[in-house]
Structure formats: C-alpha cells, structure tokens
C-alpha cells in the first residue's frame, strides 16, 4: 500500500460523510436533540481528523521514516475510532457507559496534534531550490 494514512484518511472521510448524512436525514426525527448533537459532534470530528490523516500522509511522503509522524497518524486514527465511534454508538444505542471511552479518543487527538507540532518544530527548513537556481 502506497500510504496507509492516506488510505485511512480517505476511508474515514467517506464514512464521515455517510454518517453525517445519515444523522441529518435518518436520525433527526429519531434521536433527542442532545443525542443528535453528540452524533453530529462525532461526525464533525471524524471529518476534521480524516483531513488530518490525509495531511499527515502528505507530509510523510517527504519523511517516510519519521516516528513522530507515524505515531501522530496512528493516534489520529485511534482517536477517530474511540471518539467518533463512541459518540455514534452512544447516540444510536443510548449506551451511556460509552461516554467513558470518548475522552480517550479526545486525548488521542490531542497527542496526535502535539506530535505533529513537535515534528514541525524540529523539521529543519530546507529549500526546494539550490542557491544556483536563484
């Protein structure tokens, strides 16, 4: 596979669009306003972090062996599963105990973004053009 994070980012965006549409059209008359808000929060965070995964995949093309980028990608994927997945299940199945899982997904998101920031801060500036091309 050319890029695992590009693949998971694209799949996550696909699922996020589907879940968002399902929530907007199929669940609006079924769920309480509170549960519908939780569901839409899951869909929104899934979409933003799917884009984050795609961004990590693109940055990783220039540095495929970076452990920071690798960890950031896996933590972002784990965050999507735990955060968005638990909110979907909480809203649809009314499983209140799943609310305990959601913060672990949120922490995964935070750590992924932190690792990406650390990577960006450590990455030396390189020019695409040599001095003779100026």
């Amino acid at each position: 596979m050319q890029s695992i994070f590009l693949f998971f980012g694209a799949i996550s965006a696909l699922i996020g669009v589907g879940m968002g549409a399902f929530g907007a059209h199929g669940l609006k008359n079924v769920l309480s306003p509170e549960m519908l808000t939780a569901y839409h929060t899951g869909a929104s965070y899934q979409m933003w972090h799917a884009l984050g995964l795609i961004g990590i995949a693109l940055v990783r093309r220039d540095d495929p062996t970076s452990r920071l980028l690798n960890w950031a990608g896996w933590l972002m994927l784990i965050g999507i599963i735990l955060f968005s997945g638990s909110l979907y299940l909480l809203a649809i199945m009314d499983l209140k105990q799943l609310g305990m899982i959601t913060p672990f997904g949120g922490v995964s998101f935070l750590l992924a973004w932190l690792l990406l920031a650390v990577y960006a801060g450590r990455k030396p500036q390189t020019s695409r053009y040599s001095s003779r091309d100026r």
Side-chain angles (χ1 to χ4, degrees):
M1 182 175 301
Q2 185 175 7
S3 174
I4 192 80
F5 297 129
L6 181 59
F7 173 78
F8 281 127
I11 293 296
S12 182
L14 171 77
I15 293 168
V17 169
M19 295 300 273
F22 177 64
H25 301 290
L27 297 176
K28 70 179 178 181
N29 296 323
V30 176
L31 297 179
S32 70
E34 179 184 277
M35 288 296 104
L36 196 56
T37 297
Y39 184 93
H40 284 302
T41 298
S44 176
Y45 273 67
Q46 180 167 350
M47 284 304 300
W48 283 111
H49 289 88
L51 293 173
L53 272 175
I54 292 168
I56 288 170
L58 295 175
V59 172
R60 214 167 155 242
R61 290 188 329 188
D62 292 334
D63 194 359
T65 61
S66 170
R67 293 177 68 201
L68 286 171
L69 291 176
N70 194 47
W71 273 102
W74 288 114
L75 284 167
M76 203 163 284
L77 180 61
I78 290 166
I80 291 169
I81 293 166
L82 294 179
F83 186 89
S84 296
S86 67
L87 287 178
Y88 295 146
L89 292 173
L90 171 74
I92 294 171
M93 302 180 82
D94 198 29
L95 298 172
K96 302 286 188 214
Q97 61 270 32
L98 285 175
M100 295 184 299
I101 294 172
T102 310
F104 291 105
V107 169
S108 294
F109 286 150
L110 291 169
L111 290 173
W113 289 113
L114 175 64
L115 291 177
L116 189 56
V118 168
Y119 174 82
R122 287 186 176 177
K123 183 94 173 119
Q125 286 285 14
T126 57
S127 172
R128 289 182 173 206
Y129 308 101
S130 68
S131 59
R132 69 172 182 235
D133 293 334
R134 290 186 200 168

